[in-house]
């Protein structure tokens, strides 16, 4: 049985403060007054810079919670809450992130106190959010624990005693959540830990029963039917698993699972079954989708019609990578048409969509030709000779890239028109990849004189923002990773990672994706990229993490300081009145990572 700590609140607070003064690396607990499990948790909390007084509690979006966990634990929580009625004990259920999924509290007064501490459904009580507690620390250590009063890392939890136990998925042993009991310190009883542990075991048993019934239902949905349909490819999907008959195995890949799941869950199921179109890596196909009635969570049965091809349905897997300029087939075809039809091509898109890199890819089609790049928004690059140099490049059969055409002043329109005429007149008909004029432009910021110029002189190809081509995001990420140091040849993305990449909105487009993949590469992940290899901000976002109002304001203040300091973090820290180390931590937590003294770039 767990022995209750005897150290008083003052001694525990002094021990914690001594740790903070000495630092994690230099600290030694000479007094032995703190239990080792608590001291380890304090060290982790200090390393994460968790505050010891006020906490900006994070609210995590309730979407994506485990229905199996909630259904398994609900009856257990109800019985436990009823047994403890009138004793001032609150009961909590959390998921594997430390997000509170359910709370049982008897009195109005108790619920009010818990609400004031944000101990309510949806709030994050992970250790990295609020420090040592019987939800977050239990999930970190994967073992039952009682935390009394001052053993909590944060002062706000000092008046409470909490006991928690992990809930493990039957069969795999993976921790999927926790059950915790909370009461005032004065009501502390070692039996709290026993009650929490027994409740967690009961929830696991209910989960075993429910999961077994669900598996039987999923297998029944896969069972071949009579007639010709029994030979059709069939796949049964859940959020984290997939079943297939032999004919359906070709559709069961890490690439396909997140695509299929995003498609079926994004539909309105007013009618059932539904015929849906799927753009897979080996072509575009039709599938008849049925929603499987399952109280534990969503499940779907897909019966494919691979013999029915739609539009651009030719298999893409065999396409030569060298022939593909863009991952979206429609965009790639438009680019190919434009390159065949004109020597002047405009690439339009929002900042960060990869317009300049695409222009480099087009120039690489004719590597024997020189390339000149002129940035129209950078005054330093537009020397008095820029036009003469541009004429020389085109006259010699080279490639000329004009970046940020939206910043072209009205007085220079005739010069660009002259360059388009020159590009068309100097092409050698015997050259399979002639030099050309390539314009990059943010179409949303284009003034009228530039819009008129584009209509008169160029074929414009619009590049979609990353979120609008989300089914291709994993392949783009894979391509980026393959070119980074620390990534082994043949490294692949897990299905969970692919789903996470598709779920994130990517406001910074491909530029933001490149930064994220650089973080992955820095972790030296090995052959398979798993969720834990992704940056924390991306994992949080994929799991429904929302910035609080305080975090949004903090993010805007940091961005403004970095802008004023031209990207120099040291100067930005002085402007904000915080330490450089603190700024580094906040930059990482809020996903504002940039190279030291890196100027903020606004173009594409």
């Amino acid at each position: 049985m767990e022995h209750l700590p005897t150290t008083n609140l003052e001694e525990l607070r002094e021990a914690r403060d001594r740790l903070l003064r000495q630092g994690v690396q230099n600290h030694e607990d000479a007094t032995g007054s703190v239990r080792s499990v608590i001291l380890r948790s304090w060290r982790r909390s200090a390393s994460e810079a968790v505050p010891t007084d006020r906490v900006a509690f994070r609210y995590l979006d309730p979407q994506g919670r485990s229905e199996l966990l909630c259904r398994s634990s609900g009856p257990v929580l109800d019985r436990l809450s009823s047994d403890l009625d009138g004793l001032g004990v609150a009961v909590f259920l959390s998921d594997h992130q430390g997000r509170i999924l359910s709370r049982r509290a008897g009195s109005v007064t108790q619920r009010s106190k818990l609400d004031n501490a944000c101990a309510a459904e949806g709030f994050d009580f992970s250790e990295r959010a609020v420090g040592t507690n019987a939800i977050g620390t239990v999930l970190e250590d994967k073992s039952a624990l009682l935390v009394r009063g001052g053993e909590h890392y944060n002062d706000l939890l000092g008046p409470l005693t909490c006991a928690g136990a992990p809930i493990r998925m039957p069969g795999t042993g993976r921790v999927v959540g926790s059950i915790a009991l909370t009461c005032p310190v004065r009501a502390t009883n070692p039996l709290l830990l026993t009650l929490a542990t027994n409740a967690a075991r009961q929830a696991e048993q209910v989960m075993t029963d429910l999961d077994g019934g669900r598996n039987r239902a999923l297998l029944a949905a896969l069972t071949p039917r009579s007639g010709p349909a029994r030979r059709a490819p069939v796949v049964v999907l859940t959020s984290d698993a997939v079943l297939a008959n032999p004919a359906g195995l070709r559709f069961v890949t890490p690439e396909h699972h997140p695509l299929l799941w995003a498609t079926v869950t994004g539909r309105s199921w007013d009618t059932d079954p539904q015929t849906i179109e799927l753009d897979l890596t080996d072509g575009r196909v039709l599938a008849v989708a049925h929603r499987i009635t399952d109280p534990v969570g969503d499940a779907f049965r897909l019966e494919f019609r691979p013999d029915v091809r739609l539009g651009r349905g030719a298999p893409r897997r065999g396409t030569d990578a060298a022939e593909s300029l863009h991952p979206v087939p429609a965009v790639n075809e438009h680019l190919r048409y434009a390159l065949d039809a004109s020597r002047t091509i405009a690439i339009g898109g929002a900042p960060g969509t990869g317009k300049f890199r695409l222009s480099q890819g087009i120039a690489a089609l004719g590597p024997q030709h020189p390339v000149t790049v002129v940035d129209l928004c950078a005054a330093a690059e537009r020397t008095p000779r820029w036009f003469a140099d541009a004429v020389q490049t085109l006259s010699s059969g080279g490639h000329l890239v004009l970046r940020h055409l939206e910043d072209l002043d009205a007085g220079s329109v005739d010069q660009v028109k002259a360059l388009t005429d020159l590009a068309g007149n100097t092409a050698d008909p015997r050259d399979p990849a002639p030099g050309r004029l390539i314009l990059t432009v943010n179409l949303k910021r284009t003034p009228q004189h530039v819009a008129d110029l584009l209509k008169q002189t160029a074929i414009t190809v619009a590049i979609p923002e990353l979120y609008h081509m989300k089914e291709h995001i994993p392949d783009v990420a894979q391509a980026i990773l393959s070119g980074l140091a620390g990534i082994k040849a043949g490294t692949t993305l897990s299905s969970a990672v692919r789903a996470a990449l598709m779920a994130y909105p990517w406001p910074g487009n491909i530029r933001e994706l490149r930064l994220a993949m650089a973080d992955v590469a820095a972790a030296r992940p090995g052959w398979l990229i798993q969720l834990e290899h992704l940056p924390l901000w991306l994992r949080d976002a994929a799991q429904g993490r929302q910035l609080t109002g305080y975090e949004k304001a903090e993010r805007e203040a940091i961005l403004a300081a970095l802008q004023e300091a031209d990207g120099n973090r040291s100067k930005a820290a002085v402007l904000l009145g915080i330490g450089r180390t603190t700024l580094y931590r906040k930059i990482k937590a809020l996903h504002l990572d940039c190279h030291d003294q890196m100027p903020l770039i606004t173009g594409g």
Side-chain angles (χ1 to χ4, degrees), residues 350-355 464-467 504-516 537 555 591 601-604:
T353 49
K355 301 186 295 294
E465 296 187 47
L466 201 56
Y467 186 70
Y504 183 64
W506 300 107
N509 289 299
I510 289 180
R511 182 185 303 145
E512 186 176 17
L513 180 61
R514 289 185 184 279
L515 289 173
W537 58 265
R555 191 178 194 274
H591 179 43
I601 302 172
T602 57

mmCIF file of all heavy atoms in Angstrom, residues 350-355 464-467 504-516 537 555 591 601-604:
data_model
loop_
_atom_site.group_PDB
_atom_site.id
_atom_site.type_symbol
_atom_site.label_atom_id
_atom_site.label_comp_id
_atom_site.label_asym_id
_atom_site.label_seq_id
_atom_site.Cartn_x
_atom_site.Cartn_y
_atom_site.Cartn_z
ATOM 1 N N ALA A 350 -0.055 31.956 -53.101
ATOM 2 C CA ALA A 350 0.147 32.653 -51.833
ATOM 3 C C ALA A 350 1.593 32.506 -51.370
ATOM 4 O O ALA A 350 2.337 31.653 -51.876
ATOM 5 C CB ALA A 350 -0.810 32.098 -50.775
ATOM 6 N N PRO A 351 2.034 33.332 -50.412
ATOM 7 C CA PRO A 351 3.389 33.189 -49.883
ATOM 8 C C PRO A 351 3.619 31.792 -49.324
ATOM 9 O O PRO A 351 2.746 31.217 -48.665
ATOM 10 C CB PRO A 351 3.443 34.247 -48.764
ATOM 11 C CG PRO A 351 2.431 35.271 -49.163
ATOM 12 C CD PRO A 351 1.332 34.503 -49.828
ATOM 13 N N GLY A 352 4.792 31.246 -49.629
ATOM 14 C CA GLY A 352 5.164 29.951 -49.067
ATOM 15 C C GLY A 352 4.682 28.756 -49.847
ATOM 16 O O GLY A 352 4.904 27.615 -49.424
ATOM 17 N N THR A 353 4.018 28.957 -50.989
ATOM 18 C CA THR A 353 3.500 27.818 -51.743
ATOM 19 C C THR A 353 4.540 27.171 -52.646
ATOM 20 O O THR A 353 4.238 26.188 -53.329
ATOM 21 C CB THR A 353 2.287 28.242 -52.592
ATOM 22 O OG1 THR A 353 2.615 29.428 -53.330
ATOM 23 C CG2 THR A 353 1.076 28.515 -51.721
ATOM 24 N N GLY A 354 5.749 27.708 -52.661
ATOM 25 C CA GLY A 354 6.812 27.076 -53.430
ATOM 26 C C GLY A 354 6.945 27.592 -54.850
ATOM 27 O O GLY A 354 7.445 26.877 -55.727
ATOM 28 N N LYS A 355 6.527 28.827 -55.079
ATOM 29 C CA LYS A 355 6.580 29.380 -56.443
ATOM 30 C C LYS A 355 8.021 29.460 -56.947
ATOM 31 O O LYS A 355 8.307 29.094 -58.094
ATOM 32 C CB LYS A 355 5.928 30.768 -56.462
ATOM 33 C CG LYS A 355 4.475 30.788 -56.022
ATOM 34 C CD LYS A 355 3.836 32.158 -56.194
ATOM 35 C CE LYS A 355 4.460 33.210 -55.287
ATOM 36 N NZ LYS A 355 4.222 32.950 -53.858
ATOM 37 N N PRO A 464 -1.940 25.828 -55.773
ATOM 38 C CA PRO A 464 -2.835 25.802 -54.607
ATOM 39 C C PRO A 464 -2.059 25.904 -53.301
ATOM 40 O O PRO A 464 -0.888 25.514 -53.220
ATOM 41 C CB PRO A 464 -3.534 24.447 -54.726
ATOM 42 C CG PRO A 464 -2.564 23.593 -55.487
ATOM 43 C CD PRO A 464 -1.873 24.526 -56.447
ATOM 44 N N GLU A 465 -2.732 26.431 -52.279
ATOM 45 C CA GLU A 465 -2.143 26.403 -50.949
ATOM 46 C C GLU A 465 -2.119 24.966 -50.450
ATOM 47 O O GLU A 465 -2.912 24.123 -50.877
ATOM 48 C CB GLU A 465 -2.941 27.305 -50.004
ATOM 49 C CG GLU A 465 -2.882 28.768 -50.403
ATOM 50 C CD GLU A 465 -3.527 29.676 -49.374
ATOM 51 O OE1 GLU A 465 -3.230 29.502 -48.180
ATOM 52 O OE2 GLU A 465 -4.308 30.564 -49.763
ATOM 53 N N LEU A 466 -1.208 24.699 -49.525
ATOM 54 C CA LEU A 466 -0.951 23.327 -49.115
ATOM 55 C C LEU A 466 -2.202 22.650 -48.572
ATOM 56 O O LEU A 466 -2.464 21.478 -48.856
ATOM 57 C CB LEU A 466 0.164 23.323 -48.052
ATOM 58 C CG LEU A 466 0.911 22.003 -47.858
ATOM 59 C CD1 LEU A 466 1.498 21.513 -49.160
ATOM 60 C CD2 LEU A 466 2.010 22.172 -46.821
ATOM 61 N N TYR A 467 -3.003 23.390 -47.805
ATOM 62 C CA TYR A 467 -4.175 22.775 -47.192
ATOM 63 C C TYR A 467 -5.197 22.330 -48.236
ATOM 64 O O TYR A 467 -5.971 21.398 -48.000
ATOM 65 C CB TYR A 467 -4.834 23.752 -46.212
ATOM 66 C CG TYR A 467 -5.961 23.129 -45.440
ATOM 67 C CD1 TYR A 467 -5.706 22.161 -44.473
ATOM 68 C CD2 TYR A 467 -7.296 23.484 -45.682
ATOM 69 C CE1 TYR A 467 -6.741 21.572 -43.769
ATOM 70 C CE2 TYR A 467 -8.332 22.895 -44.980
ATOM 71 C CZ TYR A 467 -8.042 21.946 -44.021
ATOM 72 O OH TYR A 467 -9.058 21.352 -43.324
ATOM 73 N N TYR A 504 -3.366 19.111 -40.283
ATOM 74 C CA TYR A 504 -2.900 20.452 -39.929
ATOM 75 C C TYR A 504 -3.178 21.431 -41.074
ATOM 76 O O TYR A 504 -3.019 21.085 -42.246
ATOM 77 C CB TYR A 504 -1.403 20.406 -39.630
ATOM 78 C CG TYR A 504 -0.826 21.721 -39.173
ATOM 79 C CD1 TYR A 504 -1.236 22.300 -37.984
ATOM 80 C CD2 TYR A 504 0.122 22.390 -39.932
ATOM 81 C CE1 TYR A 504 -0.718 23.513 -37.562
ATOM 82 C CE2 TYR A 504 0.649 23.600 -39.518
ATOM 83 C CZ TYR A 504 0.229 24.155 -38.336
ATOM 84 O OH TYR A 504 0.741 25.361 -37.928
ATOM 85 N N PRO A 505 -3.599 22.685 -40.787
ATOM 86 C CA PRO A 505 -3.984 23.619 -41.864
ATOM 87 C C PRO A 505 -2.817 24.240 -42.619
ATOM 88 O O PRO A 505 -3.026 24.843 -43.666
ATOM 89 C CB PRO A 505 -4.779 24.694 -41.114
ATOM 90 C CG PRO A 505 -4.261 24.658 -39.705
ATOM 91 C CD PRO A 505 -3.953 23.211 -39.441
ATOM 92 N N TRP A 506 -1.603 24.213 -42.125
ATOM 93 C CA TRP A 506 -0.409 24.738 -42.799
ATOM 94 C C TRP A 506 -0.584 26.166 -43.308
ATOM 95 O O TRP A 506 -0.506 26.428 -44.517
ATOM 96 C CB TRP A 506 -0.002 23.817 -43.955
ATOM 97 C CG TRP A 506 0.320 22.434 -43.509
ATOM 98 C CD1 TRP A 506 -0.428 21.312 -43.681
ATOM 99 C CD2 TRP A 506 1.483 22.023 -42.762
ATOM 100 N NE1 TRP A 506 0.181 20.223 -43.097
ATOM 101 C CE2 TRP A 506 1.351 20.638 -42.527
ATOM 102 C CE3 TRP A 506 2.608 22.692 -42.274
ATOM 103 C CZ2 TRP A 506 2.297 19.912 -41.813
ATOM 104 C CZ3 TRP A 506 3.553 21.972 -41.572
ATOM 105 C CH2 TRP A 506 3.401 20.603 -41.347
ATOM 106 N N PRO A 507 -0.784 27.116 -42.400
ATOM 107 C CA PRO A 507 -0.930 28.515 -42.846
ATOM 108 C C PRO A 507 0.332 29.046 -43.526
ATOM 109 O O PRO A 507 0.242 29.977 -44.331
ATOM 110 C CB PRO A 507 -1.225 29.272 -41.548
ATOM 111 C CG PRO A 507 -0.698 28.393 -40.453
ATOM 112 C CD PRO A 507 -0.906 26.995 -40.938
ATOM 113 N N GLY A 508 1.494 28.479 -43.200
ATOM 114 C CA GLY A 508 2.728 28.907 -43.841
ATOM 115 C C GLY A 508 3.073 28.128 -45.088
ATOM 116 O O GLY A 508 4.165 28.288 -45.654
ATOM 117 N N ASN A 509 2.158 27.240 -45.512
ATOM 118 C CA ASN A 509 2.315 26.453 -46.735
ATOM 119 C C ASN A 509 3.601 25.611 -46.733
ATOM 120 O O ASN A 509 4.014 25.141 -45.686
ATOM 121 C CB ASN A 509 2.225 27.375 -47.956
ATOM 122 C CG ASN A 509 0.811 27.883 -48.160
ATOM 123 O OD1 ASN A 509 -0.102 27.094 -48.361
ATOM 124 N ND2 ASN A 509 0.624 29.197 -48.080
ATOM 125 N N ILE A 510 4.206 25.445 -47.900
ATOM 126 C CA ILE A 510 5.331 24.522 -48.012
ATOM 127 C C ILE A 510 6.524 25.004 -47.192
ATOM 128 O O ILE A 510 7.299 24.200 -46.667
ATOM 129 C CB ILE A 510 5.718 24.334 -49.493
ATOM 130 C CG1 ILE A 510 4.632 23.517 -50.192
ATOM 131 C CG2 ILE A 510 7.067 23.625 -49.634
ATOM 132 C CD1 ILE A 510 4.870 23.258 -51.656
ATOM 133 N N ARG A 511 6.675 26.319 -47.048
ATOM 134 C CA ARG A 511 7.776 26.832 -46.228
ATOM 135 C C ARG A 511 7.654 26.315 -44.797
ATOM 136 O O ARG A 511 8.643 25.906 -44.183
ATOM 137 C CB ARG A 511 7.755 28.366 -46.241
ATOM 138 C CG ARG A 511 8.909 28.991 -45.452
ATOM 139 C CD ARG A 511 8.749 30.497 -45.419
ATOM 140 N NE ARG A 511 8.684 31.041 -46.765
ATOM 141 C CZ ARG A 511 7.938 32.074 -47.116
ATOM 142 N NH1 ARG A 511 7.174 32.668 -46.227
ATOM 143 N NH2 ARG A 511 7.951 32.534 -48.350
ATOM 144 N N GLU A 512 6.436 26.311 -44.247
ATOM 145 C CA GLU A 512 6.217 25.808 -42.894
ATOM 146 C C GLU A 512 6.441 24.298 -42.839
ATOM 147 O O GLU A 512 7.003 23.778 -41.869
ATOM 148 C CB GLU A 512 4.793 26.152 -42.456
ATOM 149 C CG GLU A 512 4.493 25.816 -41.011
ATOM 150 C CD GLU A 512 3.111 26.253 -40.593
ATOM 151 O OE1 GLU A 512 2.269 26.532 -41.475
ATOM 152 O OE2 GLU A 512 2.859 26.320 -39.372
ATOM 153 N N LEU A 513 6.013 23.588 -43.874
ATOM 154 C CA LEU A 513 6.228 22.142 -43.926
ATOM 155 C C LEU A 513 7.720 21.816 -43.952
ATOM 156 O O LEU A 513 8.169 20.850 -43.315
ATOM 157 C CB LEU A 513 5.533 21.567 -45.160
ATOM 158 C CG LEU A 513 5.661 20.058 -45.382
ATOM 159 C CD1 LEU A 513 5.064 19.275 -44.214
ATOM 160 C CD2 LEU A 513 4.987 19.651 -46.696
ATOM 161 N N ARG A 514 8.507 22.610 -44.668
ATOM 162 C CA ARG A 514 9.958 22.372 -44.708
ATOM 163 C C ARG A 514 10.579 22.533 -43.316
ATOM 164 O O ARG A 514 11.445 21.758 -42.917
ATOM 165 C CB ARG A 514 10.621 23.335 -45.694
ATOM 166 C CG ARG A 514 10.314 23.033 -47.140
ATOM 167 C CD ARG A 514 11.083 23.938 -48.097
ATOM 168 N NE ARG A 514 10.687 23.686 -49.457
ATOM 169 C CZ ARG A 514 11.139 22.685 -50.208
ATOM 170 N NH1 ARG A 514 12.039 21.862 -49.699
ATOM 171 N NH2 ARG A 514 10.706 22.509 -51.433
ATOM 172 N N LEU A 515 10.156 23.546 -42.581
ATOM 173 C CA LEU A 515 10.662 23.737 -41.230
ATOM 174 C C LEU A 515 10.299 22.551 -40.336
ATOM 175 O O LEU A 515 11.111 22.084 -39.528
ATOM 176 C CB LEU A 515 10.110 25.027 -40.633
ATOM 177 C CG LEU A 515 10.658 26.341 -41.212
ATOM 178 C CD1 LEU A 515 9.886 27.528 -40.646
ATOM 179 C CD2 LEU A 515 12.140 26.483 -40.911
ATOM 180 N N ALA A 516 9.067 22.063 -40.485
ATOM 181 C CA ALA A 516 8.632 20.918 -39.678
ATOM 182 C C ALA A 516 9.455 19.684 -40.009
ATOM 183 O O ALA A 516 9.866 18.933 -39.120
ATOM 184 C CB ALA A 516 7.141 20.644 -39.905
ATOM 185 N N TRP A 537 4.207 21.006 -31.541
ATOM 186 C CA TRP A 537 3.105 21.849 -31.996
ATOM 187 C C TRP A 537 2.281 21.152 -33.070
ATOM 188 O O TRP A 537 1.066 21.318 -33.144
ATOM 189 C CB TRP A 537 3.622 23.183 -32.525
ATOM 190 C CG TRP A 537 4.596 23.078 -33.655
ATOM 191 C CD1 TRP A 537 5.955 23.085 -33.572
ATOM 192 C CD2 TRP A 537 4.294 22.956 -35.053
ATOM 193 N NE1 TRP A 537 6.516 22.972 -34.816
ATOM 194 C CE2 TRP A 537 5.528 22.891 -35.740
ATOM 195 C CE3 TRP A 537 3.114 22.898 -35.777
ATOM 196 C CZ2 TRP A 537 5.612 22.767 -37.125
ATOM 197 C CZ3 TRP A 537 3.192 22.772 -37.163
ATOM 198 C CH2 TRP A 537 4.433 22.714 -37.810
ATOM 199 N N ARG A 555 1.710 35.042 -28.883
ATOM 200 C CA ARG A 555 2.287 34.753 -30.197
ATOM 201 C C ARG A 555 2.389 36.029 -31.033
ATOM 202 O O ARG A 555 3.421 36.272 -31.683
ATOM 203 C CB ARG A 555 1.411 33.715 -30.906
ATOM 204 C CG ARG A 555 2.028 33.123 -32.166
ATOM 205 C CD ARG A 555 1.084 32.071 -32.750
ATOM 206 N NE ARG A 555 1.755 31.263 -33.752
ATOM 207 C CZ ARG A 555 1.849 31.596 -35.034
ATOM 208 N NH1 ARG A 555 1.320 32.733 -35.457
ATOM 209 N NH2 ARG A 555 2.480 30.807 -35.891
ATOM 210 N N HIS A 591 5.490 27.486 -32.088
ATOM 211 C CA HIS A 591 5.860 27.237 -33.484
ATOM 212 C C HIS A 591 6.163 28.531 -34.233
ATOM 213 O O HIS A 591 5.523 28.906 -35.208
ATOM 214 C CB HIS A 591 4.766 26.478 -34.218
ATOM 215 C CG HIS A 591 5.120 26.237 -35.663
ATOM 216 N ND1 HIS A 591 6.365 25.843 -36.060
ATOM 217 C CD2 HIS A 591 4.394 26.355 -36.797
ATOM 218 C CE1 HIS A 591 6.407 25.741 -37.364
ATOM 219 N NE2 HIS A 591 5.217 26.045 -37.841
ATOM 220 N N ILE A 601 10.559 36.809 -43.998
ATOM 221 C CA ILE A 601 10.328 36.832 -45.433
ATOM 222 C C ILE A 601 8.832 36.833 -45.689
ATOM 223 O O ILE A 601 8.094 36.068 -45.092
ATOM 224 C CB ILE A 601 10.976 35.606 -46.103
ATOM 225 C CG1 ILE A 601 12.485 35.596 -45.785
ATOM 226 C CG2 ILE A 601 10.753 35.608 -47.593
ATOM 227 C CD1 ILE A 601 13.181 34.345 -46.231
ATOM 228 N N THR A 602 8.375 37.689 -46.565
ATOM 229 C CA THR A 602 6.937 37.766 -46.825
ATOM 230 C C THR A 602 6.561 37.281 -48.212
ATOM 231 O O THR A 602 5.388 37.149 -48.523
ATOM 232 C CB THR A 602 6.457 39.217 -46.680
ATOM 233 O OG1 THR A 602 7.205 40.056 -47.574
ATOM 234 C CG2 THR A 602 6.661 39.716 -45.260
ATOM 235 N N GLY A 603 7.541 37.005 -49.053
ATOM 236 C CA GLY A 603 7.222 36.600 -50.418
ATOM 237 C C GLY A 603 7.127 35.111 -50.586
ATOM 238 O O GLY A 603 7.254 34.347 -49.676
ATOM 239 N N GLY A 604 6.916 34.668 -51.849
ATOM 240 C CA GLY A 604 6.741 33.253 -52.143
ATOM 241 C C GLY A 604 7.991 32.631 -52.663
ATOM 242 O O GLY A 604 9.005 33.226 -52.862
#
